[in-house]
Amino acid sequence: MMNRPRIAAIMLPLFCLSVAVAQKGSSSTDTVFMDSVLYEGDKCGLPGMRTGTCQKAADCPQGIRANGARCEFSGNDPVVCCPTEAPGTGDGTSNRFTARIAKQECERFTSASANIIDHISGRAIEALRGEFPFVALVNFRGEEGEEVKLTRCGASLIAPRFLLTAAHCLKDLNPVTVEIGFIQLSDTEKDEYEIKQVHLHEGHKSRRNDIALIELKNNVTYKQDVGPICLNTDRPEIGPSINLTVMGWGADGDGQRADKLMKGTVYEIPLDECVQRFRDAKQRISLGEDQLCALGEKVNDETTDACQGDSGGPLVMTVRQKFYLVGVVSTGAVCGGSLPGIYTRVSRYLEWIEQRVWGSPN
């Protein structure tokens, strides 16, 4: 793997004992006890030292999943602790708004694997078992039901029954199963799930809006080496100073197909610089804000990047020991060259994803 994709061919309620929550933004401190009786309109506490207001569930569907303090029914209507502050603001200033469902779901996820180690820039190295519990491999079948072994695409588990991948991986092929929880293709200890249907972005054309959802027939069983990844909801602009990790079972710079999950470190390249690099190489390209360019360091005449077979796979960053899905491997030029890889920017598709995965009103 680790060189650029040329994939054009085939391409709870929370129960606490008198936990005090301070209401931000006031001269005095309003204290709410989580084990006191709360009614519609009362202040309530949420995970992460956030605050909310008890509202009818019909008026705040996202509150159902927010795991906030228990609010008493209003007649026959259920009442939930509705978030009124974005997680992580914590400065007591205005900008109060309802946290989007993708962020609420992320708070429910456990921390990243304890196996995380510093990645070696400028080269691809083998991932550790359980290091990336969200990465999956998509399996395809031909018209006659035979396994299509020449095509590989990755995907990222984002919910019990949904994975995020690239639209071009699924458009002209027949995906039948996904495999997760393994490193080597020959591993016998891996979980396989049948695909119920795929959701291609309605605006997908060429490599624009190159994003899709895979819906499974059954929920994935979470365990130590299998679990979802958070969507990047807070940092639409990453910047070149942040280490990003790309991974997959794709080819290396010599075109040799990997039989194990490989990873490499890359950095974001600003869009204007990315376009100029392609122009300097006499290649025409049109990029938009819904895309992201990234490239790693050069080692032994080869630059770290994704390659054939990595399409649809994740581009991730780690914040406070938790993974965030930043991009989806989409396309690029020649593997291992000086031109950046192109990814679909996940933060630009949050509403599209939320509506299909969680039925979010955002």
Side-chain angles (χ1 to χ4, degrees), residues 32 34 38 42-46 50-54 69 71 81-82:
V32 177
M34 302 287 274
L38 300 175
D42 288 345
K43 298 180 181 66
C44 53
L46 291 155
R50 294 181 296 134
T51 57
T53 303
C54 290
C71 302
C81 187
C82 187

Side-chain angles (χ1 to χ4, degrees), residues 24 46-50 88 107:
K24 300 178 180 138
L46 291 155
M49 298 303 293
R50 294 181 296 134
E107 291 179 351

Side-chain angles (χ1 to χ4, degrees), residues 3 28-29 32 41 45 49 61 65 80 86 144 154 160 164 180 182 188 202 210 217 230 249 257 262 300 316 322 337:
N3 298 17
S28 60
T29 299
V32 177
M49 298 303 293
R65 301 171 184 259
V80 297
E144 304 298 327
L164 196 64
I180 193 168
F182 70 101
T188 56
E202 301 78 4
D210 193 11
K217 291 183 179 180
C230 294
W249 288 271
R257 297 167 62 82
M262 306 296 289
N300 297 328
V316 308
K322 186 173 282 190

